[in-house]
Amino acid sequence: MQYFSLNNREHTSNFENAVLKGLAPDKGLYFPEKIISLPKSFFKDINGFSKVDLAFQVIKNYIGDEIPTSELTSIIEHTLDFDFPVVPINENIGVLELFHGPTMAFKDVGARFMAGSLGYFIKKGNVGNVTVLVATSGDTGGAVANGFLGVEGIDVVILYPKGKVSEIQEKQLTTLGQNIIALEVDGTFDECQDMVKQAFLDEEIQNQRQLTSANSINVARWLPQMFYYFIAYQQLAEIDKKIAFSVPSGNFGNICAGMLAVKMGLPIDHFIASSNANDVVGRYLNSEKYEPKPSVSTISNAMDVGNPSNFIRIMELFEKDFKDLKGHLSSYSFSDDLTKKAMKEMFDETGYVMDPHGAVGYLGLQEFLKKNPDYYGTFLETAHPVKFLETVEKVIGKNMEIPLSIQAILNKEKISFSIINYADLKAHLLG
């Protein structure tokens, strides 16, 4: 499989180079040159596949022979060694729980798969040491730190916005040590992401460090997010209704992977991009004008993105056909007050505890189902509610039990370096 730059179709790359470089030389995101549909028999027999076999069939064409079958299978086994249950809320709504991995966030899947792929290419030889440079608005940092911890030949540098991630999220990326370095940025996530992109274009840095990114701009982080949509469909295949998925959306890598899965034949009929006050895509779908704006802080901080990188991939999936895209994608945004209200009502009525991101996904699904009652809707719980402990406990009025894996890090010492601007980041990378 070859990948082309979304800034210049003439520039192409194989999977290994796309993973190692993260971005194309022209700063473009890589995109597969073709999308191969899975046969109808695959979906007819989908319940006969294990998670690993299912994922292997989904991803193999995007990797080709660049990773041997046995090695790829091993990477997938490690990536998916936890559960992805669809929990029923009522007869028309379920919730896909993606927080049963090691850092209790959906990004464990992409981070583990990328760590395995990159680790294989380094072991294969002729690559040398690689620095994974990544910006996080919340859960990416912890998932990447955990996924790459101790991987030989890889250093990890994580930028995160000061005061804009939860305490537990911060602990997950600042307490591991070893090959993990955390940089606390006095700014927003968008500023962190801009610094990362600037570093990739800096020849002086490139001459001293081989950089790659573990944000969803990297194909090895983005593509495996398809896995859990297929795993969820296994659990929903017998439902005799159209199926919609509501995805809490920030950088739009997650929902983009789901929409790629549909292009491969997965029978999901509609997607809802549910957002907080950072609603650039929703405004685009209403106006056909794409106008990024500075991000604003909310209680669903992992979605505080004012210029989502992966939306250009969604545009490519639909060949920039606005009418076609709007037929497959709806978007709604919700305030913090509405988010809290939904969390409280869900807990009072059902006993189910949603985190702020899942609550936004639930609200978006509710809004869609009002006009489309013939659908069965699934919203994504992308992080365990304990990761937003203070907010959740205050809203539901009840103390939560803290899992042992989280208790283990709460008393660990935070180790991070404060930076203000790109010059600080460059000095750190060259130091």
Side-chain angles (χ1 to χ4, degrees):
M1 174 67 77
Q2 291 291 301
Y3 294 80
F4 63 87
S5 167
L6 287 175
N7 283 348
N8 175 14
R9 288 175 176 268
E10 298 302 311
H11 171 79
T12 60
S13 166
N14 63 6
F15 179 73
E16 178 177 348
N17 182 70
V19 174
L20 288 170
K21 299 300 183 184
L23 286 169
D26 57 17
K27 207 177 177 180
L29 272 64
Y30 282 114
F31 194 86
E33 66 175 1
K34 55 186 174 181
I35 298 171
I36 300 173
S37 297
L38 294 164
K40 290 184 179 179
S41 60
F42 173 83
F43 297 100
K44 182 179 179 182
D45 301 328
I46 197 166
N47 283 317
F49 289 97
S50 69
K51 284 188 301 188
V52 174
D53 290 339
L54 181 69
F56 181 84
Q57 295 300 320
V58 168
I59 202 75
K60 65 178 183 179
N61 288 325
Y62 295 99
I63 295 170
D65 60 2
E66 294 186 59
I67 299 178
T69 295
S70 60
E71 189 75 26
L72 180 58
T73 300
S74 178
I75 291 170
I76 293 171
E77 286 174 344
H78 178 65
T79 297
L80 300 179
D81 70 349
F82 51 93
D83 294 328
F84 302 84
V86 177
V87 177
I89 298 297
N90 59 41
E91 61 180 9
N92 294 315
I93 293 176
V95 51
L96 172 59
E97 293 184 344
L98 301 178
F99 53 69
H100 295 280
T103 71
M104 299 188 166
F106 79 100
K107 293 177 181 180
D108 283 325
V109 170
R112 283 178 151 203
F113 186 86
M114 183 184 167
S117 300
L118 188 55
Y120 169 77
F121 293 135
I122 289 173
K123 284 188 296 183
K124 194 178 73 168
N126 301 320
V127 172
N129 284 5
V130 174
T131 297
V132 174
L133 181 63
V134 62
T136 183
S137 58
D139 287 322
T140 294
V144 168
N146 182 277
F148 285 88
L149 182 65
V151 177
E152 188 175 349
I154 298 177
D155 295 316
V156 179
V157 179
I158 303 169
L159 283 69
Y160 71 99
K162 180 179 180 179
K164 294 180 172 63
V165 301
S166 75
E167 180 186 2
I168 290 174
Q169 287 174 324
E170 186 176 40
K171 287 281 189 177
Q172 286 183 322
L173 62 96
T174 61
T175 60
L176 293 175
Q178 297 188 50
N179 59 328
I180 312 297
I181 301 294
L183 301 180
E184 189 175 14
V185 179
D186 189 8
T188 66
F189 167 73
D190 291 317
E191 290 171 305
C192 296
Q193 187 161 250
D194 287 343
M195 286 187 205
V196 168
K197 290 179 179 178
Q198 190 172 348
F200 275 90
L201 299 176
D202 192 316
E203 289 187 9
E204 189 176 359
I205 292 175
Q206 294 289 346
N207 288 335
Q208 290 197 33
R209 282 184 181 254
Q210 183 168 209
L211 298 181
T212 191
S213 176
N215 285 96
S216 53
I217 58 177
N218 193 301
V219 293
R221 257 286 320 276
W222 168 52
L223 290 170
Q225 293 177 111
M226 291 190 292
F227 293 164
Y228 39 74
Y229 290 100
F230 284 89
I231 293 168
Y233 181 74
Q234 278 186 312
Q235 301 169 67
L236 301 173
E238 301 304 316
I239 291 176
D240 190 24
K241 283 186 173 184
K242 293 180 179 179
I243 295 175
F245 272 75
S246 177
V247 184
S249 298
N251 222 11
F252 277 72
N254 191 347
I255 195 169
C256 182
M259 298 181 94
L260 174 61
V262 170
K263 292 291 184 179
M264 294 170 63
L266 185 65
I268 297 175
D269 298 281
H270 200 81
F271 279 92
I272 302 107
S274 300
S275 67
N276 54 30
N278 298 281
D279 61 345
V280 60
V281 171
R283 288 183 289 112
Y284 168 75
L285 291 175
N286 287 328
S287 67
E288 206 171 345
K289 294 179 181 179
Y290 188 74
E291 298 174 333
K293 61 179 183 179
S295 60
V296 297
S297 296
T298 73
I299 60 169
S300 49
N301 62 282
M303 298 168 5
D304 292 350
V305 182
N307 187 12
S309 295
N310 284 287
F311 192 63
I312 190 173
R313 283 182 170 140
I314 292 178
M315 297 290 284
E316 181 65 29
L317 279 173
F318 289 88
E319 299 177 340
K320 297 184 174 68
D321 186 327
F322 179 77
K323 184 177 180 181
D324 189 23
L325 173 60
K326 196 165 182 179
H328 292 84
L329 177 66
S330 300
S331 185
Y332 309 97
S333 66
F334 303 94
S335 67
D336 282 353
D337 286 344
L338 287 173
T339 303
K340 292 174 185 177
K341 184 171 183 282
M343 293 165 65
K344 176 66 172 170
E345 289 179 352
M346 175 69 81
F347 179 73
D348 289 345
E349 293 172 8
T350 70
Y352 190 83
V353 182
M354 299 188 295
D355 93 292
H357 305 77
V360 171
Y362 171 68
L363 285 167
L365 182 58
Q366 273 193 319
E367 200 67 29
F368 176 78
L369 291 178
K370 287 177 185 177
K371 297 179 180 179
N372 301 275
D374 54 330
Y375 276 75
Y376 181 89
T378 302
F379 68 97
L380 273 56
E381 257 292 4
T382 52
H384 195 291
V386 77
K387 298 189 76 170
F388 309 92
L389 189 64
E390 184 178 349
T391 297
V392 173
E393 288 185 342
K394 187 176 180 180
V395 169
I396 68 173
K398 180 180 178 182
N399 291 334
M400 294 183 64
E401 182 178 347
I402 301 177
L404 292 176
S405 61
I406 298 296
Q407 290 181 32
I409 65 169
L410 287 179
N411 293 322
K412 286 188 176 182
E413 182 185 359
K414 167 188 166 182
I415 302 174
S416 65
F417 300 89
S418 297
I419 67 172
I420 297 174
N421 52 33
Y422 179 71
D424 291 342
L425 171 61
K426 183 170 181 176
H428 182 88
L429 292 173
L430 295 179

